[in-house]
Amino acid sequence: MKSSSLKTAAVVTLLTASFGLTSCGNGNSKAGSDVAAPSAEAVTPATQTPAKDAAKKSTRGNIVMAPGDVGTVSSTTSDGKEVDATKFTVNSIAPGTCDQQYAQPPENGHIVFVDVTIETLPELAETPFPTFGLSAYDFKFVSNNGTTFNGSLSTIASGYGCIDDARTLPSAGIGPGEKATGIVVLDVPEPAGILIMKSMFGSGFEYTF
């Protein structure tokens, strides 16, 4: 599972890990005696993940993500200290069906459910905006040919009349030290393409579905 970190100024990176190799031992040789065959220890690299600067980015400058990857949102506290404030995981992106009594047909063409888990850290309380929220307004759609959709992915069809409120993320946002899993309903123009999650963070995370 990859991990990505998004800073306030829209700098998005993957978490860093290092790796090491064990050294090889050499045999000793003496004058007038046979040279001992060198002994070798197994070379066992530790598990590694891409370094910060190795984060894969799209041509749009967003971190390329996949369902199951963990993203980290960093923010700056009132005293200027940078802290990790929120972690999130997009669990799945799939076609969805609205099941409420007054559900409306999609205006853009297709309903998509983005299932996401959000976990806020205690450090979120130290930031000027100690609440994390995510909605259809925080996404935009790009077709596979690179054309960005001009409309909104938040429509009447993708609103509160689509699925039961209990299946969605808290409407009041998520405060420090909380965790929630829910569905963000999107009304997209095509059944497949690229979703960019930007919110207020500038350049963001990009998913192909």
Side-chain angles (χ1 to χ4, degrees):
M1 183 179 291
K2 295 184 295 183
S3 295
S4 299
S5 178
L6 178 61
K7 298 182 179 180
T8 305
V11 178
V12 188
T13 58
L14 295 180
L15 296 178
T16 308
S18 61
F19 69 97
L21 301 180
T22 57
S23 61
C24 294
N26 293 321
N28 297 322
S29 61
K30 297 181 180 179
S33 62
D34 294 335
V35 178
S39 61
E41 298 177 359
V43 178
T44 308
T47 301
Q48 57 177 314
T49 56
K52 284 187 175 183
D53 294 337
K56 182 179 180 181
K57 293 186 177 181
S58 71
T59 56
R60 288 163 288 275
N62 303 304
I63 283 292
V64 176
M65 301 282 281
D69 292 349
V70 180
T72 301
V73 179
S74 298
S75 187
T76 303
T77 63
S78 55
D79 59 0
K81 181 177 65 175
E82 185 179 284
V83 295
D84 290 343
T86 303
K87 294 183 180 296
F88 69 91
T89 303
V90 171
N91 305 307
S92 63
I93 302 173
T97 301
C98 297
D99 56 12
Q100 296 300 286
Q101 180 179 0
Y102 299 107
Q104 301 295 310
E107 297 176 22
N108 298 327
H110 305 271
I111 293 295
V112 167
F113 289 173
V114 180
D115 185 284
V116 60
T117 297
I118 296 172
E119 182 175 3
T120 55
L121 306 178
E123 288 78 6
L124 181 63
E126 305 172 24
T127 66
F129 305 100
T131 302
F132 185 89
L134 191 66
S135 72
Y137 291 106
D138 301 316
F139 291 85
K140 68 178 181 178
F141 177 87
V142 179
S143 67
N144 287 323
N145 67 9
T147 302
T148 301
F149 178 59
N150 291 334
S152 173
L153 306 187
S154 177
T155 64
I156 294 176
S158 65
Y160 293 105
C162 179
I163 58 176
D164 188 271
D165 289 352
R167 298 176 63 191
T168 66
L169 292 169
S171 59
I174 305 169
E178 298 180 8
K179 184 176 182 178
T181 296
I183 294 173
V184 179
V185 182
L186 305 179
D187 188 347
V188 299
E190 300 174 29
I194 298 164
L195 287 178
I196 299 175
M197 190 174 75
K198 296 179 69 70
S199 191
M200 59 183 172
F201 315 119
S203 297
F205 300 96
E206 187 167 310
Y207 301 83
T208 299
F209 71 100

